Every structure is written in C-alpha cells, then in structure tokens.
Amino acid sequence: MKKLTNDIIYWEDVFPHFDRLLYSIRNEKPDWEDYLNHSKVKTGQKKSYNANEKNYVYETLKEIDKKYFEHYCKELSLKNLFHIRQDDSYFEIKNMEIGYRIDAHVDYFVMSAFSEDKMYPALTMIYYLTDQYEGAEIGFPEFNIRFKPKSNSFLIFPSKYLHEVEPAQISGERMFCQTFAYFNEDTNA
C-alpha cells in the first residue's frame, strides 16, 4: 500500500490470479462499443465492456473492489459512511485508445434537488488492468501528483478531488475498471 496523500491510496499486485482474469476479460468479452468521454469532447476513443453478467470476470472484479474498499475504509477509520452500488450500473471495463486523455475534472457532482437519483459518488475506485502504453498518466494537479499505474493495481481517492489523464495516450492499450463508492443516504451533504 502506498499513501500518495492521506486519502489517495494505491496498491500494487492486488490479485494473485491476474493473468487468468485478464485472459478472461480479453476472450469472454462481447464486441467493444465505441464510447466518447463524458464531456462529449473527442479526446480519443474509449471502448467499454459491461461486466455485469454473473461470471468469473464480474465476480472477481466485485471481490477486488470490495476488498480494497474495505482496506481503504479501515485505513482511514471510515465506518458506515459509504457503500458500493450493487446494481446493473456497477462497473464497466474500459479500453482506451491512442489519443485518449481527460482534462482535469471531479467525479463528485452536486445533484439537483429535482434529480431522481440521489446517489452521490464519494470515492472513485480504479483497478488498472494494463500498463503497456505511453502517455495517459493519472494526475492530481492540486497535490502535484502524476504517475503511470501498473497493471494489477488499485487506486482509491475522494471523488471530489480534481484529477486528469494527461498527456494524451500515444501508444499501447490502457484498460481499467472504474467504479464508485457512494455516501450512505444519511451522510449526503
């Protein structure tokens, strides 16, 4: 475990059967769907695979998320503040292509009082599946942190933190699974 700040935590070599998991992702997935980032600005193609079918990939990713979410909460003495969403939108595996980058942004957003979905992302959790690429480093400008995560590593940070993926990916394959932990209803601010 590496604490990059008090509450940005990074683990390496998180799953002992990583080669089997990556093989299953690459060989059991349906056709990748073209996808543009949330800002609708074309910064490189992103292809995603919905991993919600109850299979080896889904169950393994769910287990990894839960384990490191619990480690994070224990490390920071956070009890009963957050939960992991367990519905059909739980997670996607994303495969970024050449030219991919994301400008500085936060994952936490203040929901409108009229919104039907009262889920507020509190923690961003990213499981990195590949590291054979150039560019596309994750950065936290407010903390002067920038690095290239290793394959089979896990990163958790508060969703309110400004972060980016820069510079643009210039070669290789950047594949990861991003999920969120949410504030429990009585802790929404």
Side-chain angles (χ1 to χ4, degrees):
M1 178 184 79
K2 295 178 185 176
K3 284 184 117 178
L4 304 177
T5 69
N6 185 50
D7 51 5
I8 300 175
I9 301 180
Y10 175 71
W11 293 265
E12 293 179 350
D13 300 317
V14 301
F15 186 62
H17 308 291
F18 177 71
D19 290 338
R20 177 179 177 217
L21 175 62
L22 191 57
Y23 176 85
S24 295
I25 289 168
R26 287 189 166 138
N27 293 290
E28 294 175 11
K29 68 183 184 293
D31 293 333
W32 292 93
E33 297 175 17
D34 287 334
Y35 180 82
L36 295 177
N37 73 16
H38 62 278
S39 66
K40 305 277 190 236
V41 175
K42 190 169 183 176
T43 56
Q45 294 284 313
K46 178 163 73 171
K47 296 181 179 182
S48 60
Y49 160 50
N50 187 324
N52 295 320
E53 295 175 22
K54 307 295 189 263
N55 60 24
Y56 171 75
V57 170
Y58 174 84
E59 294 301 331
T60 302
L61 292 174
K62 187 172 152 183
E63 175 186 314
I64 292 167
D65 259 14
K66 184 175 188 259
K67 178 179 178 179
Y68 288 93
F69 169 73
E70 289 172 355
H71 282 321
Y72 184 89
C73 290
K74 184 177 179 182
E75 179 66 28
L76 298 182
S77 301
L78 304 172
K79 294 184 180 179
N80 302 317
L81 294 177
F82 312 112
H83 68 279
I84 299 174
R85 194 170 183 165
Q86 300 283 325
D87 62 16
D88 288 343
S89 63
Y90 186 53
F91 51 66
E92 288 181 318
I93 299 166
K94 299 175 181 173
N95 185 12
M96 306 317 192
E97 296 180 347
I98 307 305
Y100 170 74
R101 60 181 279 281
I102 294 183
D103 292 332
H105 68 285
V106 296
D107 293 329
Y108 176 85
F109 51 92
V110 179
M111 303 294 287
S112 162
F114 302 103
S115 173
E116 290 180 29
D117 186 356
K118 299 296 183 193
M119 303 290 279
Y120 295 79
L123 301 172
T124 300
M125 305 185 300
I126 307 171
Y127 180 44
Y128 292 94
L129 298 165
T130 60
D131 60 8
Q132 300 300 312
Y133 58 88
E134 291 184 57
E137 298 173 342
I138 187 155
F140 296 89
E142 296 171 307
F143 301 103
N144 200 28
I145 295 171
R146 177 173 307 285
F147 70 104
K148 177 183 167 185
K150 293 184 177 183
S151 61
N152 195 26
S153 66
F154 201 90
L155 175 67
I156 301 181
F157 57 91
S159 298
K160 67 182 180 181
Y161 284 1
L162 190 67
H163 59 285
E164 62 190 0
V165 178
E166 290 284 343
Q169 183 175 333
I170 58 174
S171 69
E173 174 186 57
R174 185 178 191 268
M175 193 181 329
F176 62 93
C177 177
Q178 179 176 0
T179 58
F180 301 97
Y182 294 85
F183 288 111
N184 288 332
E185 283 187 32
D186 57 345
T187 60
N188 275 335

